[in-house]
Amino acid sequence: MGVYNVLKSAGGPILRAVYHPWIRGAENIPAEGPAILASNHNAVWDSIFLPAMIQRELVFMGKADYFTGTGIKGWATKNFMKAVGTIPVDRGGGKASQAAMKAGLDRLAKGELFGIYPEGTRSPDGRLYRGKTGVARLALESGAPVLPVAMIGTHAAQPIGQKIPSRTNIGMIIGEPLDFSRYRPLAKDRYVLRAITDEIMYNLMLLSGQEYVDAYAADVKAALAADGKFDGPVPNSAKKEG
């Protein structure tokens, strides 16, 4: 049994006993074959609760900062992220981001599940923000279906700055698969990529009930930080797409 399964077997029952998380739509996850789980992102623990509640192994992209921390906390975070298979992504873009995208495509090519947060960073206030088009590129280049996933209650349980989630109602809703295979010949068309991403975000809005904001969460964080109204981590770049 791999480290991922050991952690899931040991940690899953603890999460269920302490937080009593619920899930709806788990039957929409295919029993086999590739699929992209595109989730809203409100808390660090989104990447823990969702994999713990589904049967198949799920690996997410995670910010590169998780792998470069120092001290005991940095060491623990880095090794945990490696153990659960998190794929580091440099949110500043460039070759590092392309490497993360390739890692996701390689995983999908093997018929496995891959998780991504289209917003690119955690929501600063619990609202749903504009998605980046990487999720659309993954869908078109891999041919895999996209399952929208709404994490419910994680912002209230663990807002930015809070290290351990409060014992509150945490759930997840997995929507029906979205098939974009008809657009594969247009995989490099930025307007098509934008339209696909917006459709995914629309489905996330319907599932989550969140208010939608047509702006990048990273931009909002940067603006709030500049005004002294946000003291959490700010991504290096909000890189405009589409």
Side-chain angles (χ1 to χ4, degrees), residues 6-23:
V6 170
L7 290 173
K8 183 173 179 177
S9 297
I14 295 175
L15 287 179
R16 290 183 175 87
V18 175
Y19 295 102
H20 305 291
W22 53 270
I23 185 169

Side-chain angles (χ1 to χ4, degrees), residues 72-175:
I72 295 177
K73 180 181 177 181
W75 177 86
T77 300
K78 176 177 65 178
N79 283 278
F80 176 80
M81 291 297 175
K82 286 183 177 180
V84 298
T86 302
I87 297 173
V89 56
D90 184 340
R91 295 185 298 192
K95 292 183 178 180
S97 292
Q98 291 302 316
M101 184 71 68
K102 183 181 183 304
L105 288 170
D106 289 346
R107 182 173 175 81
L108 292 167
K110 295 177 183 177
E112 299 174 324
L113 300 182
F114 185 65
I116 186 171
Y117 298 115
E119 292 167 280
T121 185
R122 285 174 288 164
S123 169
D125 53 19
R127 295 185 295 176
L128 184 69
Y129 285 84
R130 195 177 200 218
K132 295 189 174 184
T133 56
V135 63
R137 293 200 301 273
L138 271 175
L140 296 189
E141 292 186 32
S142 68
V146 177
L147 278 67
V149 178
M151 298 299 297
I152 308 295
T154 51
H155 176 74
Q158 190 192 19
I160 290 176
Q162 181 174 318
K163 295 182 179 180
I164 299 176
S166 304
R167 294 182 62 181
T168 187
N169 191 23
I170 293 176
M172 53 221 75
I173 303 173
I174 300 174

Side-chain angles (χ1 to χ4, degrees), residues 45-63:
W45 278 49
D46 289 334
S47 301
I48 306 299
F49 277 100
L50 181 58
M53 294 294 289
I54 65 176
Q55 294 297 314
R56 295 182 61 187
E57 180 176 309
L58 174 64
V59 167
F60 272 95
M61 280 186 178
K63 62 180 180 179

